[in-house]
Amino acid sequence: MKIGIACYPTFGGSGVVATELGHELAIRGHDVHFISYALPSRLNLFAERVSYHEVTVPTYPLFNYPPYDLALATRIVDVALHEGLDIIHAHYALPHAISAHLAQEMLLPRRLAVVTTLHGTDVTIVGQDRSYLPITRFGIERSDAVTAVSEYLARVTREVFAPAKELDVVPNFVDPVRWKPDHGQRGATCFARGGERLLLHVSNFRPVKRVNDVVEIFDRIRREVPSRLLMIGDGPDRPAAEELCRTKGIAGLVHFLGNTPAVQEVMPAADLYVLTTDMESFGLSALEAQACGVPVLGYRAGGLPEVVENGTTGFLREVGDLAGLAADGIALLKDEKSWNEASRAARRRRSRFAADAIVGRYLEIYERVLADPAGGAGS
Ligand code: GMT
C-alpha cells in the first residue's frame, strides 16, 4: 500500500505514535509518506520506503492567521497524485482529519481513503471547545474509519460527539527491542550519584500534565530515600515547576533536560516513572517506561489504568493524592524484592502492546476501507 501520514512533528505522543507506525509499515513493505510542517522528531529519513513532504504555508498581508489546514490539504493532494497514495492516515483530529477530507474531495473521482486516529486532547480538550466541536465531529464522521487509542477515549468520543460512526480501539504499541531494561547504565550514573535513586517524568509540560505534582511527589520521596528527579520535555508549565523546585530548596536535585530525543537512553536508568496527568487518554511514555522495566506512579484517570496495572506494574491513585503516590513510591524503593517484582511485571506488560499485533490491526482497517466500494467520498 501507499500510505500518507499527516501528523504533528513535535515531541508529543501523537506525532511519536504516527512516526513509529510509519516506520513499522515501511518495514512491512509499504511506502510511507509523512506530511507535516517540520520533520517529525523521531523520523528516520534513512529508512527504506519512508519519505517526508514538508508543508509550507505562504504568508500574505491579509493572512493574520496563515491557513495551515488549506496548505496541508493541498500538499496531501499533491503527494496523493504524484506518489499514488491509497490512504491518508490523519493523526490527531484537528486539523489533520479536516485537511484529509478536503484533499479527498479535491481528488474526486480519484479515490483517497481517510483514516483518522484520535489521540487525546483532540477529543478531551480542543474538540470540546465550542469553536471546534462541530468541525471535530465533522472530521470524525467524514473519515472512512476512525480509531481511538484507548477504550476510555472511545467512550468520551461517543459521549461528547455522538458521532454517526463506529470507532475502532487500537492501542499504542512499543518496540521491545529499543525500549528495554538496562538498569544502572550510563544515564543513571550521569544524574544519580552514590546510591541515589532516579525518578523520571517526560511530557510537554502542559497544564493537563500537572507537573508540579511530580515535583511534590519527588520532594516527599527524596526525604525518605536519597534520590534525584529528571524532567524531560518543555512547555508552558516548566517555569512554574522550576520555581517550585527553587522554593523548596531542591533545585540541585531536579534536572530539567528540555526536549531531548535521548529519552530512550535515559528511561531504562530510572527507578520510577511519574506521570501525573489528570486525563491521559493512553500514556505512551508510561508504556515505554514499563517496557524498560520501570514501575509507574500515576493517577487513576483517563486511559492510564488500561496501560498500568495498579499494584502490579506500578501504583495508581485518585487525582491529587500526592501523599498516597509518594508513600507507594517510598515503599517500592525501600523494598528491593517488591521493586524487582514490579519491574519484571512492568516489562511483561509489553506483550499486550506488541507492535506486530497493533500494526496488523491498522493494516486490517486500511484493507477494510479500501475494500468498501461505498468509501472514498467520505460519506
Ligand atoms: O492529546 C495530547 O495532549 C497530545 C497528544 C500528543 O500529541 O502528545 O498526546 C495524546 O496522545 C498520545 C499518543 O496516543 C497519548 O499517549 C497521550 O496519552 C495523549 N495525551 C493526553 O491524552 C493528554
Side-chain angles (χ1 to χ4, degrees), residues 9-23:
T10 52
F11 287 86
S14 65
V16 167
V17 169
T19 309
E20 303 278 10
L21 174 61
H23 285 150

Side-chain angles (χ1 to χ4, degrees), residues 8 10-18 91-92 117-126 148-150 152-153 170-172 203-204 206 208-209 275 277-287 302-304 307 362:
Y8 284 110
T10 52
F11 287 86
S14 65
V16 167
V17 169
H91 287 264
Y92 203 92
T117 290
L118 305 172
H119 280 274
T121 54
D122 45 355
V123 167
T124 57
I125 297 180
V126 179
V149 298
S150 63
Y152 161 80
L153 189 62
V170 184
N172 294 328
S203 79
N204 51 20
R206 302 203 178 275
V208 70
K209 303 286 176 178
L275 189 63
T277 320
D278 57 23
M279 206 169 43
E280 193 73 58
S281 71
F282 183 87
L284 179 65
S285 60
L287 178 60
L304 201 58
V307 179
Y362 279 119

Side-chain angles (χ1 to χ4, degrees), residues 127-156:
Q128 295 193 33
D129 186 313
R130 293 304 307 175
S131 307
Y132 295 124
L133 194 151
I135 199 158
T136 304
R137 181 191 288 121
F138 177 81
I140 291 171
E141 290 185 337
R142 292 307 169 105
S143 300
D144 293 295
V146 179
T147 76
V149 298
S150 63
E151 295 288 350
Y152 161 80
L153 189 62
R155 195 165 61 245
V156 177

Side-chain angles (χ1 to χ4, degrees), residues 290 294-296 307-315 342-343 345-347 349:
Q290 291 185 151
V294 180
V296 176
V307 179
V308 177
E309 271 184 296
N310 184 30
T312 306
T313 68
F315 289 96
S343 172
R347 172 72 179 156
R349 192 88 180 114

Side-chain angles (χ1 to χ4, degrees), residues 283-368:
L284 179 65
S285 60
L287 178 60
E288 291 170 341
Q290 291 185 151
C292 295
V294 180
V296 176
L297 300 180
Y299 290 140
R300 194 180 298 118
L304 201 58
E306 296 173 44
V307 179
V308 177
E309 271 184 296
N310 184 30
T312 306
T313 68
F315 289 96
L316 300 176
R317 296 262 187 171
E318 293 310 308
V319 175
D321 187 357
L322 306 172
L325 281 181
D328 293 334
I330 291 164
L332 214 45
L333 292 176
K334 280 189 168 174
D335 180 355
E336 199 179 335
K337 184 166 170 283
S338 301
W339 188 91
N340 283 334
E341 276 169 13
S343 172
R344 278 195 295 270
R347 172 72 179 156
R348 278 198 301 274
R349 192 88 180 114
R350 72 191 185 283
S351 55
R352 276 285 296 274
F353 303 95
D356 261 348
I358 308 293
V359 175
R361 289 178 62 185
Y362 279 119
L363 283 168
E364 278 166 25
I365 291 168
Y366 296 165
E367 279 157 14
R368 188 179 81 208

Side-chain angles (χ1 to χ4, degrees), residues 48-113:
E48 266 183 72
R49 290 183 283 274
V50 168
S51 349
Y52 165 63
H53 308 265
E54 191 150 307
V55 181
T56 48
V57 190
T59 55
Y60 185 70
L62 275 180
F63 292 167
N64 208 9
Y65 304 101
Y68 175 68
D69 30 16
L70 303 186
L72 174 60
T74 308
R75 196 73 169 118
I76 294 172
V77 168
D78 179 66
V79 176
L81 287 176
H82 294 103
E83 304 290 349
L85 294 186
D86 302 301
I87 287 189
I88 177 81
H89 190 161
H91 287 264
Y92 203 92
L94 292 186
H96 303 120
I98 307 303
S99 300
H101 172 65
L102 198 50
Q104 184 182 55
E105 291 282 313
M106 289 167 75
L107 284 161
L108 285 174
R110 184 200 181 283
R111 173 107 194 256
L112 178 69

Side-chain angles (χ1 to χ4, degrees), residues 201-221:
H201 170 79
V202 183
S203 79
N204 51 20
F205 288 62
R206 302 203 178 275
V208 70
K209 303 286 176 178
R210 296 174 66 114
V211 286
N212 278 0
D213 288 12
V214 178
V215 174
E216 293 285 357
I217 290 166
F218 168 71
D219 188 32
R220 286 165 165 83
I221 291 178

